[in-house]
């Protein structure tokens, strides 16, 4: 008989897929709110109705860890919770596991998480199966249960999601708004997310570096403590990381709203932003494209500061006193592009930033989707297929953000300086340089030399010097950064993309004068490499 209780752990599978697969903003709002409510209101209601006494250790993002008094209560929860969660959020898969605590909470957490991982890898079959004559939702392909005049047939998941898209139900969005009393209205349609002259929105995903490793280092320290103290420490740690994420999001949203008001010169009536996930480790959102880079920079910098302040208060030697860093990916895509695919690229960008930063610095990688083709293996394939030719690479992703050491990364602040220097530079010369990269390194260098000569002939030496200083600010190099054993890289195209999606940019170029994009190389290069 175990007198120290049993640990119950539960986690939702594929949250982003569940939220983003609908593509309709009304469904995304309802889906994200259902995920947010599951471990709080719904699980708490189940505990009350089932008469289960349990101490919450974590409750966030569709998952929970509870310390139950006995094995019977833990097993009851493990049986009931998947059915209750499926009824509240149809289409969202849930995995559960239990483990005895004995005297060591850390070991129990490890055992339960390993069991949970095995359960998460088990496929779940939707029941009951639909027959061949059943009507289906044309966007999801799932069996329909109701119809809406404007949108036609809806499956059970879409129908339930639409029930929680009223502003009165916006619990997740409310937690990332710095001042809910003064908050503007929330745009409810993706058509309202785009600026005049643009058709793009931003899908962003950020992930904390090394949080899982920090928990693993904390396990022996928790095991060495009395159970009550270990439970208190772990609960406070989980709450601290969740508060740091929410506080960073609030800083970013506050900066976004301030920038909007400064640009318009009047109070903001509505803003284009929707969080998808805001938990202790992940942050995912869809927002207006022009402010996405500024938003992520503020979020990553604030997360470093907030996590450092929170962790110092815990008194755990296994945790980094300097706090956590994080990496992020931003995808700029058309408002009618499948958001689930856009999220997959954003997640790949985030992983790419983690890899190239060594998970020791905050970093941002971004790209624009200009083709229906995306690389199957991730952003590295996109770089190889679309931005690499003859030993030259047209991107320097990822870029360093935040207050911590750069760890060899190019600087986002430097890239923004280069972006500003490009304003007023003849566009036809920039178009020629981008095109000539694919003709070989000599042709690209010659095209840039012609640009330099043009600026000198026009007595625009100050603009030319600002351009050169911008390149140096990125990585200390010039037009090209060359490292032994690697292809040479330039930040010029990244700066041009940043200029395209920047709240500080000048008025947009007429459609016939925009920069040529390397999207026409996707098909040829993908055919060559695959």
């Amino acid at each position: 008989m175990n007198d120290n209780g049993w640990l119950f752990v539960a986690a939702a599978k594929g949250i982003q897929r569940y939220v983003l697969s609908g593509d309709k903003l009304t469904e995304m709002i309802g889906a994200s709110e259902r995920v947010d409510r599951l471990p709080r209101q719904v699980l708490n209601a189940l505990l009350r109705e089932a008469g289960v006494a349990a101490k919450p250790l974590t409750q966030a993002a569709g998952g929970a860890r509870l310390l139950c008094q006995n094995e019977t209560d833990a097993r009851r929860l493990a049986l009931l919770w998947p059915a209750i969660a499926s009824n509240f959020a149809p289409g969202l898969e849930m995995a559960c596991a239990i483990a005895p605590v004995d005297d060591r909470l850390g070991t129990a957490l490890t055992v339960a998480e390993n069991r949970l991982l095995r359960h998460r890898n088990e496929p779940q079959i939707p029941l009951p199966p639909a027959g061949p004559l059943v009507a289906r939702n044309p966007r999801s392909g799932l069996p329909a249960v109701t119809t809406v005049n404007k949108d036609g047939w809806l499956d059970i998941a879409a129908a339930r999601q639409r029930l929680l898209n009223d502003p009165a139900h916006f619990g997740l969005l409310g937690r990332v708004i710095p001042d809910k009393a003064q908050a503007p209205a929330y745009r409810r349609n993706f058509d309202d997310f785009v600026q005049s002259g643009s058709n793009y929105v931003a899908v962003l995903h950020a992930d904390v570096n090394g949080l899982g490793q920090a928990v693993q280092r904390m396990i022996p320290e928790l095991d060495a403590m009395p159970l009550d103290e270990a439970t208190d420490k772990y609960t406070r740690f989980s709450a601290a990381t969740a508060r740091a994420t929410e506080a960073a999001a609030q800083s970013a949203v506050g900066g976004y709203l301030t920038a909007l008001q400064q640009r318009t010169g009047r109070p903001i009536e509505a803003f284009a932003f929707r969080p998808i996930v805001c938990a202790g480790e992940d942050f995912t959102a869809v927002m207006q494209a022009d402010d996405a880079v500024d938003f992520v920079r503020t979020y990553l910098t604030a997360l470093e500061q907030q996590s450092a302040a929170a962790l110092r208060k815990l008194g755990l030697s296994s945790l980094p006193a300097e706090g956590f860093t994080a990496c992020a990916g931003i995808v700029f895509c058309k408002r009618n592009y499948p958001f689930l695919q856009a999220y997959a690229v954003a997640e790949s960008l985030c992983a790419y930033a983690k890899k190239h930063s060594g998970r020791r610095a905050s970093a941002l990688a971004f790209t624009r989707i200009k083709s229906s083709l995306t690389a199957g293996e991730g952003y590295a394939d996109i770089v190889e297929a679309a931005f690499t030719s003859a030993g030259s690479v047209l991107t320097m992703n990822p870029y360093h953000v935040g207050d911590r050491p750069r760890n060899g990364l190019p600087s986002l602040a430097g890239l923004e300086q280069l972006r500003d220097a490009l304003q007023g530079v003849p566009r036809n010369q920039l178009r020629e340089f981008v095109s000539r990269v694919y003709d070989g390194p000599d042709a690209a260098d010659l095209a840039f030399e012609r640009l330099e000569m043009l600026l000198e002939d026009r007595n625009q030496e100050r603009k030319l010097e600002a351009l050169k200083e911008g390149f140096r600010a990125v990585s200390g190099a010039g037009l090209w950064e060359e490292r032994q054993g690697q292809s040479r890289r330039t930040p010029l195209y990244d700066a041009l993309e940043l200029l395209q999606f920047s709240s500080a940019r000048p008025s947009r170029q007429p459609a016939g004068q925009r920069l040529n994009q390397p999207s026409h190389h996707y098909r040829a290069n993908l055919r060559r490499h695959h």
Side-chain angles (χ1 to χ4, degrees):
M1 185 74 176
N2 179 19
D3 296 329
N4 291 320
W6 280 66
L7 192 64
F8 166 82
V9 295
K13 298 168 57 176
I15 293 176
Q16 282 83 356
R17 174 178 293 275
Y18 170 74
V19 174
L20 296 171
S21 60
D23 281 337
K24 291 282 188 179
L25 184 57
T26 53
E27 294 173 14
M28 291 186 191
I29 291 172
S32 61
E33 292 299 330
R34 286 185 179 274
V35 171
D36 188 65
R37 286 186 176 199
L38 266 176
R40 294 182 173 89
Q41 291 98 318
V42 180
L43 182 56
N44 290 341
L46 174 60
L47 295 176
R48 290 193 302 270
E49 293 298 324
V52 173
K55 176 180 176 57
L57 304 181
T58 64
Q59 290 176 292
R65 296 173 182 85
L66 306 178
L67 184 59
C68 301
Q69 289 185 349
N70 53 64
E71 181 181 2
T72 300
D73 285 346
R75 293 194 179 279
R76 288 177 64 197
L77 282 181
L79 289 173
L80 292 172
W81 180 236
I84 297 297
S86 177
N87 182 66
F88 182 76
L92 180 66
E93 296 182 3
M94 185 67 62
C96 300
I98 63 173
V101 174
D102 297 326
D103 292 324
R104 297 182 295 176
L105 178 64
T107 299
L109 286 168
T110 301
V111 171
E113 292 295 337
N114 289 337
R115 292 177 179 175
L116 183 68
L117 181 61
R118 289 197 298 270
H119 292 172
R120 287 170 67 97
N121 292 331
E122 295 174 357
Q124 298 184 14
I125 302 174
L127 296 174
L133 302 181
V134 172
R136 294 180 180 267
N137 182 336
R139 287 187 294 111
S140 68
L142 298 175
V145 297
T146 187
T147 183
V148 176
N149 292 333
K150 182 179 178 180
D151 297 318
W153 291 104
L154 298 178
D155 56 76
I156 182 63
R160 290 285 179 86
Q161 288 163 3
R162 294 191 179 207
L163 297 177
L164 276 182
N165 61 14
D166 187 270
H169 300 145
F170 288 178
L172 174 59
L173 185 56
R175 292 207 309 278
V176 302
I177 299 296
D179 186 356
K180 289 183 282 294
Q182 302 296 323
Y186 318 116
R187 298 197 185 277
R188 307 283 295 281
N189 191 305
F190 279 125
D191 291 340
D192 299 327
F193 270 50
V194 299
Q195 297 277 309
S196 60
S198 171
N199 196 29
Y200 283 88
V201 298
V203 179
L204 60 94
H205 175 71
D207 192 8
V208 174
N209 290 329
L211 184 59
Q213 290 85 344
V215 172
Q216 289 301 314
R217 291 193 301 269
M218 191 170 57
I219 293 300
E221 192 171 0
L222 293 176
D223 280 344
M225 299 177 185
L227 181 59
D228 290 343
E229 182 182 359
T231 302
D232 177 68
K233 290 285 187 180
Y234 183 78
T235 303
R236 289 171 56 199
F237 166 76
S238 301
T241 54
R243 283 196 303 270
T245 302
E246 292 180 7
Q250 289 178 6
S251 296
V253 172
Y256 169 42
L257 293 176
T258 300
L260 282 179
Q261 186 164 347
Q262 290 175 346
R263 287 205 304 272
T264 60
R266 61 179 184 273
I268 303 302
E269 297 179 357
F271 73 122
F273 172 78
R274 178 63 210 178
I276 303 300
V277 174
C278 182
E281 187 172 6
D282 295 337
F283 180 77
T284 307
V286 180
M287 67 178 299
Q288 181 176 303
D290 289 354
D291 295 277
V293 171
D294 291 339
F295 182 97
V296 169
R297 179 181 55 245
T298 304
Y299 174 82
L300 295 178
T301 303
L303 182 63
E304 289 183 1
Q305 299 166 353
Q306 294 289 339
S307 62
L311 295 184
R312 281 195 294 266
K313 296 177 181 178
L314 295 177
L316 289 168
S317 59
S318 54
L319 297 179
E322 66 275 15
F324 292 113
T325 59
C327 289
I330 301 177
V331 168
F332 300 104
C333 62
K334 297 290 184 68
R335 66 174 182 261
N336 57 353
Y337 189 83
F339 281 93
L340 186 59
Q341 295 181 30
Y343 167 76
V345 179
E347 188 179 38
S348 177
L349 281 161
C350 183
Y352 187 85
K354 282 175 170 285
K355 177 182 177 181
H356 288 268
S357 67
R359 291 177 168 81
R360 294 191 296 272
S362 294
L364 165 66
F366 61 92
T367 195
R368 174 161 49 139
I369 295 178
K370 302 172 288 293
S371 167
S372 60
L373 292 174
T374 57
E377 297 299 324
Y379 178 67
D381 281 356
I382 295 178
V383 172
E384 176 68 19
F387 297 104
T388 303
S389 179
S392 300
V393 182
L394 269 175
T395 180
M396 288 184 68
N397 272 323
Y399 290 88
H400 173 263
V401 183
D403 301 326
R404 302 276 284 278
R406 285 168 57 174
N407 198 33
L409 296 173
S411 166
L412 179 63
L415 185 67
E416 291 172 326
Q417 182 177 335
L418 178 60
R419 171 205 64 192
D420 296 340
L422 289 174
Q423 298 187 25
V425 174
R427 289 294 191 265
N428 57 337
Q429 253 61 45
L430 295 174
R431 287 198 299 269
E432 181 181 4
F433 171 80
V434 171
S435 298
R436 292 301 182 187
V437 167
Y438 296 93
D439 295 332
D442 294 337
D445 292 343
L446 185 60
F448 194 78
E449 287 175 8
R450 284 196 290 267
L451 172 61
E452 293 178 319
M453 293 172 60
L454 178 63
L455 293 177
E456 290 174 349
D457 291 344
R458 293 182 178 180
N459 295 320
Q460 294 181 326
E461 288 83 0
R462 294 180 62 182
K463 188 176 293 294
L464 178 58
E465 184 56 35
L467 192 60
K468 292 180 178 179
E469 183 59 33
F471 283 116
R472 288 192 291 268
V474 174
S475 64
L479 172 65
W480 298 100
E481 180 195 67
E482 300 188 50
R483 297 185 180 183
Q484 187 173 4
Q486 299 181 15
S487 299
R488 65 177 190 170
R489 306 185 302 166
T490 178
L492 180 58
Y493 185 72
D494 291 336
L496 291 171
E497 291 287 75
L498 208 60
L499 185 61
Q500 183 76 15
F501 298 108
S502 170
S503 58
R505 72 190 188 287
S507 58
R508 295 182 181 273
Q509 299 290 324
Q513 299 184 19
R514 291 190 182 172
L515 284 169
N516 289 339
Q517 312 296 343
S519 59
H520 60 284
H521 294 275
Y522 267 63
R523 190 175 300 277
N525 282 356
L526 282 173
R527 184 166 56 243
R528 184 176 73 243
H529 292 290
H530 299 282

